[in-house]
Structures are given as C-alpha cells and as structure tokens.
Amino acid sequence: MTARPQDEVDRIVAAWRRERPDLDVRPLEVLSRVTRLARHLDRARGAAFAAHGLEVWEFDVLAALRRAGAPYELTPGQLTAETLVTSGTMTNRIDRLEHRSLVRRGPDPSDGRGVLVRLTDEGRSLVDTALEDLLQRERGLLAELDDASLASLAAQLRRLVGPFDDAR
C-alpha cells in the first residue's frame, strides 16, 4: 500500500500538533480543507463566468430567475432571499442587469405597487451557456471521485451545512 501524499493542511496540522499538543486540532483537518477548496472553487467559478462576460453575482441573480421556471420572474424580495444580499444591493444588481438587457422590470399583476424582475431571452441564453460551462469545469474538478464517493461527500457536507441554512 502506498502512503497518501501530504497536502498543505497535513503540514499545518502537524505543526500545530508539535507546537500545541494540548489542543485537539482535528477540526482543522476537515474545515481547513473545506476553506481551501472553497477558495479554489471560487476561482474556478469566477473563471467560468468571466469566460461568458459575467460576474459571479450576475450569474447568481440570473440563475435564480432561470430556476424559477417559466416565465422566469421573481420579485426583488424573492431575489434578495435567493441570493442572500440586502435589498439595496439587489436593487443595484437589478439596475445593472437591466442596463445590460439581461433582465427587465415589469408590474406585478398580483400587487399593484409591486415589481417583477423577468429574465430576458438574452439573459436566459447567457445563463444557460454559463451553467453548461460551469458544470463541465466542476465535473473535471470532481473527476477523482467515483459516484459512491460523490454521494457520500454530498451527504456529509449536507449535514455540515444544514444548521447554517436552518439558522436563516
């Protein structure tokens, strides 16, 4: 059996164990890897979206509208909840996406004072293409894992993320 190669986290943990043997540093073995992985994923996602002329936040808003299903529209409040930003930030984002003709605002027929944000055909095409590219890149990042490992990892991460999502 060959020894698994050490990564940066193994080196960090070993150093802490040497310097602070009184502490249980096992959380670092998992969460430091999650943090490092998140940084790598942020870079990969940013590159995938930049290839389509999108910022990450732009993809997030367009994707929320696309996932809503036909007619691909949500209220600004729903978009705020979907993307975890403030209402002021969302207003600015909608303005910028509308300026690019990726979304348009219209009246909400169920609320005389309300507004609906709708994905344009151009926005839908762009988010669909960017999603396809993102998924291809992410499949490449996960290529080392077989289906059973992917399912197990997803289940474990769901357990870790659950309490944070429940707190929302």
Side-chain angles (χ1 to χ4, degrees):
M1 182 192 319
T2 58
R4 67 181 170 89
Q6 281 202 333
D7 66 4
E8 186 61 24
V9 174
D10 289 323
R11 290 184 275 282
I12 291 168
V13 168
W16 279 122
R17 283 188 173 134
R18 182 189 68 240
E19 295 300 316
R20 291 295 311 267
D22 57 310
L23 295 177
D24 176 9
V25 296
R26 287 180 297 172
L28 294 176
E29 292 183 282
V30 173
L31 300 178
S32 291
R33 284 187 176 94
V34 169
T35 299
R36 295 173 70 79
L37 180 60
R39 288 182 190 140
H40 291 298
L41 292 176
D42 283 345
R43 288 185 194 129
R45 286 182 152 218
F49 300 144
H52 299 278
L54 288 171
E55 297 289 332
V56 172
W57 68 263
E58 290 174 310
F59 178 85
D60 287 345
V61 174
L62 298 175
L65 290 165
R66 180 66 170 96
R67 289 191 311 269
Y72 312 111
E73 61 187 17
L74 294 170
T75 66
Q78 289 169 315
L79 283 169
T80 297
E82 284 277 325
T83 59
L84 302 176
V85 298
T86 66
S87 61
T89 297
M90 184 51 65
T91 298
N92 181 273
R93 289 179 176 186
I94 294 167
D95 288 345
R96 292 172 65 182
L97 289 168
E98 192 171 38
H99 181 74
R100 291 188 59 192
S101 300
L102 299 174
V103 303
R104 72 173 182 269
R105 287 181 174 98
D108 183 345
S110 67
D111 178 356
R113 298 181 307 160
V115 171
L116 288 174
V117 179
R118 180 178 282 195
L119 193 59
T120 64
D121 289 342
E122 182 182 348
R124 180 178 170 195
S125 176
L126 182 59
V127 73
D128 281 352
T129 303
L131 176 63
E132 290 167 14
D133 186 24
L134 172 67
L135 291 173
Q136 180 181 356
R137 290 172 190 242
E138 289 187 347
R139 274 191 297 278
L141 293 171
L142 297 171
E144 293 293 318
L145 302 176
D146 61 26
D147 288 347
S149 296
L150 286 171
S152 175
L153 180 58
Q156 295 299 320
L157 291 172
R158 186 178 301 108
R159 285 178 60 196
L160 283 176
V161 172
F164 294 99
D165 287 348
D166 292 345
R168 286 194 308 147

